[in-house]
Amino acid sequence: DAVFLMRDVLEEAGRLPRQCDYFLWNWGGDALFSEAEPLSHMDYFLLDVPRLLRACLLQSETAEQVRWLRAFNRMLERSILQPASALKIDGSAYHHGGHYFGYAFSAVPGLAETLLQLSDTPWQLSPEAHERVRRAALAQRIFCNQIDEPLSLSGRKPFEDYNSHLLPKGLDYLARSGTPDREQTIDREAAAAYLRLEPEAVNTEPYRSLDVAPEPAPNGCFVMPYAALLSHRREDWLASVHGQSKYVWGTERQSRVN
């Protein structure tokens, strides 16, 4: 972020090219123009993708910025939609080979923020890629209650509090990114989900100007096959069953922690 913010000063001092080279090496800049399948996991979406977007904007010539942004758009869509994508069609978000909320709790909101930054530009993501991010964000408010994850999804550190909560801001980013079909500038379903978790936000824009009520608490039985997870919701409670199979691991264990 410092390199991006100081880009004009660095360029005047003749140091921007060197900083850009290090910047790109550190965050995998070769993926932008590579024909190989890009990485696809939660750390990549949280850490690398926002920095690679900054790298596109660090280019001093407008034509180069456009070329880089086109490459970034293609790379990110391939990362999200490739057969081995970490974002599954049922809303599961994979890291370390399985649905892992301990990484997805921050990575999915981070990806939704990138969606928002690209919205209403020539480089916004395709409806298909947008929808895949959308499903992952909306699924979190199903298998978490209200913002707490089930213990069975806590991975290798079930008793650490820092990575066990849904971040409502992800639904805010998603709502303000518009609908995947680009017909609406506000995703009303995501907005209603956000307002249930952050009811005071109804007094802030853009929600104050919208006729959107907070959604009711989820109700019903929801199945996520890629997570081997069943979530049964009724009123304000959640009962979940997390299984395992020859295709889906049950949990990631770590000595002296579990």
Side-chain angles (χ1 to χ4, degrees):
D1 290 344
V3 173
F4 177 71
L5 292 170
M6 297 290 290
R7 60 193 181 279
D8 293 336
V9 176
L10 289 167
E11 187 167 27
E12 288 178 11
R15 298 192 58 171
L16 185 58
R18 179 182 182 278
Q19 292 299 329
C20 284
D21 287 345
Y22 176 77
F23 193 95
L24 289 169
W25 176 84
N26 198 52
W27 299 109
D30 57 323
L32 287 172
F33 297 98
S34 173
E35 294 300 321
E37 291 294 348
L39 296 174
S40 188
H41 55 74
M42 294 300 109
D43 277 348
Y44 186 66
F45 294 142
L46 176 66
L47 302 173
D48 294 42
V49 166
R51 274 74 177 189
L52 291 175
L53 177 56
R54 303 290 190 279
C56 297
L57 301 175
L58 278 171
Q59 305 308 307
S60 56
E61 299 295 332
T62 302
E64 280 297 284
Q65 287 187 6
V66 170
R67 186 172 76 90
W68 282 60
L69 284 165
R70 286 174 177 168
F72 174 84
N73 173 276
R74 290 193 298 268
M75 181 276 296
L76 185 54
E77 288 188 356
R78 288 166 58 211
S79 175
I80 291 171
L81 296 174
Q82 62 181 299
S85 171
L87 296 176
K88 307 303 183 183
I89 59 175
D90 64 351
S92 297
Y94 268 42
H95 194 82
H96 292 180
H99 177 61
Y100 209 150
F101 183 71
Y103 288 86
F105 86 102
S106 55
V108 171
L111 199 50
E113 185 176 20
T114 299
L115 269 183
L116 177 60
Q117 292 168 344
L118 295 173
S119 64
D120 199 28
T121 76
W123 305 285
Q124 63 187 30
L125 296 188
S126 68
E128 294 79 12
H130 186 137
E131 177 61 26
R132 196 71 68 91
V133 177
R134 184 178 187 272
R135 290 186 186 187
L138 291 175
Q140 290 186 347
R141 107 280 198 198
I142 295 293
F143 62 75
C144 292
N145 189 36
Q146 168 139 287
I147 61 172
D148 296 305
E149 67 170 343
L151 189 63
S152 62
L153 291 184
S154 61
R156 67 181 183 271
K157 296 184 178 181
F159 306 113
E160 289 193 10
D161 187 59
Y162 77 94
N163 66 348
S164 60
H165 300 304
L166 181 155
L167 301 177
K169 65 180 181 181
L171 294 168
D172 173 43
Y173 297 146
L174 185 67
R176 292 189 286 124
S177 296
T179 54
D181 61 11
R182 306 175 185 175
E183 295 294 323
Q184 303 293 327
T185 57
I186 296 292
D187 184 329
R188 299 176 73 86
E189 182 180 1
Y194 173 62
L195 292 177
R196 176 173 68 87
L197 300 177
E198 297 285 351
E200 68 278 3
V202 73
N203 297 315
T204 64
E205 295 296 349
Y207 306 105
R208 183 164 49 198
S209 302
L210 297 172
D211 184 21
V212 178
E215 68 173 3
N219 185 62
C221 195
F222 305 88
V223 179
M224 296 172 62
Y226 280 96
L229 179 67
L230 181 147
S231 302
H232 189 75
R233 303 294 304 258
R234 187 178 299 170
E235 296 176 348
D236 61 351
W237 59 259
L238 160 70
S240 62
V241 177
H242 183 217
Q244 62 187 44
S245 71
K246 63 186 291 187
Y247 304 107
V248 180
W249 55 256
T251 190
E252 184 181 47
R253 294 168 179 87
Q254 190 174 59
S255 63
R256 301 184 303 281
V257 177
N258 297 87

